Amino acid sequence: MKNVAVTGADGFIGSHLTEALLAEGYHVRALAQYNSFNNWGWLEGLDHPNLEIMTGDVRDPNFCREFVKERDTVFHLAALIAIPYSYVAPDSYVDTNVKGTLNICQACRDAGTERLLVTSTSEVYGTARYVPIDENHPRQPQSPYSASKIGADAIAMSFYNAFEMPLTIVRPFNTYGPRQSARAIIPTIISQIAAGEREIKVGDLSPTRDFNFVSDTAQGFIALARSPLTIGQEVNIATGTEISMQDTLSTIAQLMDADINWVKDPARIRPAGSEVFRLCGDNTKITELTDWRPRVDIREGLRLTIEWFSNPDNLARYKTNIYNV
């Protein structure tokens, strides 16, 4: 694995993965979604001799074929991810997440790509029927977003079964850290407090999540790509621990030394049948097949995230007074 490609490299996890790959000496071709502003998202300002940035769209099969040419390994992270927006625009999620994954699989098959890693999500499991959630847990499409990711996973695995494509389904649990969208629970709390708000708008605080700090998630991708034992496998990236949204809010307030009140914002509450109330992942498979282990605990990860959002230049990129689904 020397020449790699990363779709969704302009996004939260993708930009961290791109930086991690560059730091370890890989030549990275990074995809930023084409836009007329020529904006590269979170790749803006990243300058490295081994970095090649291309703009395009995974919904275009011809572009995908060009993008994966002469790449040993492809990390496919490009996706629409906001769950609330999937209630509004489900067609977009099918086009990007399902069709986009199909396009990348077809392109890698045509190019003879040596390894393909397709990004899934813990949302495919829905509310836990048992914990910790292993890779055999039933899939439960509780939102159009999770349904589109279940479909994308199935498309990818069909290429392994039908065409022996050397691919791995990478299933991170809830990743957080610097650069995350403010619609997610951790940055929405931190950014509001950092902006001086004392009444913090939140959704339901009862669900639990298995939070992965973003550097751990990025290293999980790399570890899975390096191990031939993961080919044809669906693999969780998880800590095996869970924390409620309420306890997460309390920990953040303590770390930021903030005296706050929280108010429930109806716009942030999922439909009853769509809310995933419990997520706690089983990381047995990844720890058996690779040398990956979670390194950053929740308290340290929150401290690092608070530090980043508290930088005025970073906070200025967020509209803390607007909830963007």
Side-chain angles (χ1 to χ4, degrees), residues 58-69 74 76 98-113 116 118 152 155-160 162-163 165-167:
V58 295
R59 293 175 297 180
D60 189 287
N62 297 309
F63 170 79
C64 291
R65 280 192 286 271
E66 290 299 315
F67 181 71
V68 305
K69 278 184 178 178
V74 174
H76 176 46
V98 181
K99 182 76 182 302
T101 298
L102 172 62
N103 291 339
I104 289 292
C105 287
Q106 291 273 28
C108 288
R109 184 188 178 211
D110 292 346
T113 303
L116 170 60
V118 174
I155 285 288
M157 285 305 297
S158 76
F159 272 71
Y160 169 73
F163 309 120
M165 176 171 286
L167 63 80

Side-chain angles (χ1 to χ4, degrees), residues 21-43:
L21 289 163
L22 291 170
E24 298 198 22
Y26 296 108
H27 295 258
V28 182
R29 179 180 293 161
L31 172 59
Q33 186 175 26
Y34 172 82
N35 61 85
S36 60
F37 301 103
N38 197 25
N39 184 283
W40 295 341
W42 289 117
L43 295 177

Side-chain angles (χ1 to χ4, degrees), residues 68 93 100 121 133 138 149 152 162 168 177 181 225 254 259-260 279 293 296-297 304:
V68 305
Y93 284 71
T121 169
I133 299 170
K149 295 298 281 186
T168 303
S181 165
Q254 181 188 51
D259 182 16
I260 60 169
L279 285 174
R293 302 293 184 276
V296 183
D297 67 28
L304 293 169

Side-chain angles (χ1 to χ4, degrees), residues 246-258:
Q246 178 69 66
D247 288 343
T248 302
L249 185 151
S250 298
T251 304
I252 291 170
Q254 181 188 51
L255 289 170
M256 297 183 77
D257 194 23

Side-chain angles (χ1 to χ4, degrees), residues 73 173 240:
T73 300
F173 277 64

Side-chain angles (χ1 to χ4, degrees), residues 191-209:
S191 60
Q192 288 179 80
I193 295 175
E197 300 291 337
R198 289 299 171 260
E199 285 203 342
I200 308 304
K201 296 178 180 177
V202 294
D204 189 349
L205 294 178
S206 64
T208 68
R209 294 293 183 263

